[in-house]
Amino acid sequence: MTPPTLLSIAAQKMKKRSLQNFSQKSPDIVVIGSGIAGLLSALSASEKGSVLLVTKKKLSSGSTPYAQGGIAAVLSGTDHFEKHIEDTMKAGAFHNSREVVKYVVQKGPQAIQKLIEFGVKFDQEKNKNLALGLEGGHSENRIIHAKDATGRIIEKALIAKVRSHKNITIWENTLALDLIIEKKTCKGIKLLRNKKIIKVPTQVVVLCTGGTGQVFAHTTNPTESTGDGIAIALRAGAGVRDMEFIQFHPTAFFKKENNRHFLLSEAIRGEGGILINHEGKRFTKELAARDILSRAIYEEQKHGKVFLTFENTKSTKRKKLLELKKRFPEIFTHLKKNGYILGKNPIPITPVAHYLCGGIEVNLRSETSIKNLFAIGECARTGLHGANRLASNSLLEAAVFASEIGGNLPKIQQTNFKIKEISEKNISNTHQKIIKKIQEIMWQEVGIIRTKNGLQKAFSQLNKFKNHKSREVKNLATVAIAICKQALQRKKSLGCHTMK
Ligand code: FAD
Ligand code: SIN
């Protein structure tokens, strides 16, 4: 062995000093993710103790800012909890937990009220009542919205609250790596921040890391949706369930940017949008549940392109155009940039991966199978969605469970825990070529229509990536394998899991 040089001793001392310099009191609670679930959880948990809110990119990230349609809740005089419960159960192919469906639906109006108190401004009718839209699978108009930018408007208000909260510290550009587990209890989390691995001992971790759309070659989800929280939970030994139920949204704009497709909200069909095939003929019921519609479009695409359009009645044409522009300003602008006028031109559409109905298994208190580990939002499997989510029930689920998390946490103790840097090792985070490969395998073999052979083939191909040194590859592969495994276990079609 070569003896250490004076220079290398000095370098080691400097490294040690820089690691030791970083030592601050640990937070009581760590929330991972800053979508609707993370932002609301941080606000609610801050009533119990100090909160560190960690997010891998900017505070505004994840699927939340992209949500267009809105939030479902029973608010009109003609609507009733029972109707929303039955619509949710029916969309979920009765694989849902009726207890959870009832719980969430009944808490809906309260959750909406809380968002309004936090400063969210939803669209109103002239009489100041909330404007209620219609989406597929709903038997009543019950979608509360803010034009076609509902998620961004919610997020903007919540970010303002979180930023000004004295009990919440925000760490952006910080990646959650793995949980620290001792005796089946969560004791903290390891993070990657400024190229350093940091150990944060804490009393509670709440995973709010969103969905997994990025495992597919075609998705509405942003680049952040790589299923990290689910991969982290799996590595820690937490229960993960219903991963085979990937919802494909029927009407994404055909043109993709990387693997992401711009969404054409279901609310457009709620306003009279129809679907036609390459011969200009209607071929399905436009407001059927998403699994039914996605399959119908998928079959129709074997013969040619499918389009979203409006029926051309001359007398209403101009009025309708103005109405659509006002109701869907962001969609209208996006399409115009791409050469299409909503309401005038047939717009090519395609079904793409949109939402994960399963995830980390939790109970009504958002507790996972690991003590002091909680999960909320799209990464959690509460039992609300069953085998297929009803439109606009996702923001609702996140809002209900996140705004209650403070009350469900264990008693916070006084501690002297300190945050520590444990290594300066540079983790390679991405590997685009392999990620593309995973996305293609999943799209080809684990997409809208699945076969046993295809699932087995995908499973064996994906296995070689599960210990990859890139974090993103490792997480994507872990989640993709879980989807394949659970899909293989479910031999018959159910909800959005379709076997041929
Ligand atoms: P997200 O909003 O996805 O947030 C996840 C957060 O976790 C992000 O901040 C991300 O950066 C962070 N994160 C992830 N991994 C890590 C890590 N390792 N370390 C640190 N941070 C991490 N639902 C509805 O109910 N109504 C709608 O109208 C609607 N429209 C939609 C439109 C689109 C285009 C999409 C994609 C989804 C839509 N959905 C809708 C679904 C809904 O938006 C999402 O399910 C919901 O926003 C998820 O919220 P979340 O807080 O759980 O996760
Ligand atoms: C949409 O606007 O169509 C999306 C709604 C949802 O995903 O719930």
Side-chain angles (χ1 to χ4, degrees), residues 66-72 135-136 138 143 148 150 220 247 249-251 263-269 290 328 331 354-355 389-395:
Y66 294 96
Q68 296 176 345
I71 314 187
E135 287 183 2
H138 288 275
I143 316 297
D148 55 356
T150 310
T220 58
Q247 179 176 80
H249 196 294
T251 55
L263 184 73
L264 300 175
S265 176
E266 191 150 333
I268 298 177
R269 280 172 280 127
R290 287 180 185 174
F328 304 108
I331 296 173
H354 181 59
Y355 183 83
R389 174 179 65 104
L390 181 67
S392 289
N393 263 358
S394 168
L395 294 175

Side-chain angles (χ1 to χ4, degrees), residues 474-488:
K474 188 170 156 177
N475 285 347
L476 280 172
T478 304
V479 169
I481 290 166
I483 296 170
C484 283
K485 221 171 166 174
Q486 300 192 6
L488 272 166

Side-chain angles (χ1 to χ4, degrees), residues 120-139:
V120 181
K121 290 194 170 41
F122 293 110
D123 292 348
Q124 295 178 344
E125 302 284 5
K126 281 194 188 112
N127 62 10
K128 299 277 178 219
N129 284 342
L130 288 172
L132 301 172
L134 182 66
E135 287 183 2
H138 288 275
S139 56

Side-chain angles (χ1 to χ4, degrees), residues 308-310 321-322 324-325 331-347:
L308 172 67
T309 191
F310 282 82
L321 258 178
L322 291 175
L324 289 174
K325 193 173 173 185
I331 296 173
F332 198 92
T333 306
H334 184 89
L335 289 175
K336 199 169 170 206
K337 268 192 213 147
N338 284 280
Y340 296 92
I341 303 290
L342 180 69
K344 198 169 174 190
N345 309 121
I347 298 149

Side-chain angles (χ1 to χ4, degrees), residues 274-284 297 300-301 303-309 346:
I274 57 165
L275 296 172
I276 54 168
N277 63 14
H278 68 291
E279 291 172 327
K281 291 194 182 121
R282 285 174 86 169
F283 58 93
T284 185
I297 296 169
E300 202 57 45
Q301 281 179 324
H303 312 291
K305 279 192 176 172
V306 172
F307 302 87
L308 172 67
T309 191

Side-chain angles (χ1 to χ4, degrees), residues 32-38 54-57 61-64 66-70 174-176 208-211 220-221 224 228 260 263 354-355 376-378 389 392-395:
I32 310 290
S34 56
I36 182 171
V54 171
T55 191
K56 69 175 166 183
K57 289 193 180 163
S61 57
S63 290
T64 299
Y66 294 96
Q68 296 176 345
T174 305
L175 183 75
C208 302
T209 47
T220 58
N221 288 193
E224 298 86 277
D228 295 8
R260 197 175 167 266
L263 184 73
H354 181 59
Y355 183 83
I376 302 183
E378 193 168 335
R389 174 179 65 104
S392 289
N393 263 358
S394 168
L395 294 175

